[in-house]
Amino acid sequence: MARIECRQMVKRYGRVTAVHALDLVIEDNEFVVLLGPSGCGKTTTLNVIAGLEDLSAGDLLFDDEVVNFVSPDKRNVAMVFQSYALYPQKTVSENIAFGLRLRGVDRAEIRRRVLEVAEQLEISQLLERRPAELSGGQRQRVALGRAIVRQPSVFLMDEPLSNLDAALRVSMRALIKKLHLMMRTTFVYVTHDQAEAMTLADRIVVMDQGRVQQTGTPDEIYNRPQNLFVASFLGSPQMNLVAGHVVREAGQLRFAQGDFRLPLGPVTAAEGQPITLGVRPEDCLVDAAGLQASVSLVSPLGSETHATVNLAGVELVARLAKDVIVHPGATLGLKLDPARLHWFDTQSGQALQRTY
Ligand code: ATP
């Protein structure tokens, strides 16, 4: 168990700053996911926490103790990577036991812990096989087992499911979540996959270009994105973003883009200000009495349908229930629920301040 604190943590590689003055507290037993596109600095952050990379500036604390210069083996962290990095000549059992052997743990205790971990990971029947005789998913379970068996204070995972197919990723996600509940240990997990982040995290840290863009629960990140980057990074299909500006009509402030008009939500904005409207596809609600949209493209997915529609010159993707039958060229009534709209200042990219 450990509480991790990054204080103004910087990591530079020559002239490249991979992580800029990161301030982050990860509470004991919390499951935090570092999420962002390739090159945003998430692996670097994880490696600094592991002690595999030195800090260039700032401090890293474990349970209020500065650990900047503490070697990785003294930090009691375990790491699982995308590549399983198992010893090919050793059996599953030997792979899991290896770290304990190095630490001189008693043979009977090693046996007990290996069997316990193998049972938790449902690989008891594979203990005598070698890695070449395992599937990718089984190998990743062994890699997890090798990390768990050490009973680390901090569990660090770097894209551990990226090499697995989609179905296996979903079942491994559930397993990792179960392990966290069982182990009651701090987990820090790196991914670029928003579904993994949303399903696993207590809190998500969204990063871009070495800087934290937003930290919050999955609900906060998805439903209250603080800027355009976070708004567009999470959600599939992506949030519809429409750049326009604020006009005053009949004494009221409205959002305008060409002929498209929408009353402004409860946000602070000035007449003439360039702003961007954000609408999640699932918040385009079918309502015969709503705004009349012409349908240009229909993508049925079985469980739901995505329709590209045109509303007074503005193109939006709407996510429709599977029983809504639409065709290209048809007209569809849509309601955009004002309570579910997002508003951003176009220049700064920041969400507009709400007035409630
Ligand atoms: P990915 O998902 O592709 O692994 P990431 O978000 O984990 O990306 P990092 O690997 O942390 O990103 O890299 C952050 C930045 O630091 C990138 O610009 C990368 O090119 C740079 N960088 C990482 N490691 C080194 C290194 N050893 N030497 C120089 N630059 C590096």
Side-chain angles (χ1 to χ4, degrees), residues 13-14 16-19 36-45 53 158-159 190 192:
Y13 296 104
V16 176
T17 303
V19 179
S38 181
C40 72
K42 49 197 191 300
T43 294
T44 303
T45 303
E53 299 275 7
D158 192 353
E159 308 250 12
V190 160
H192 62 271

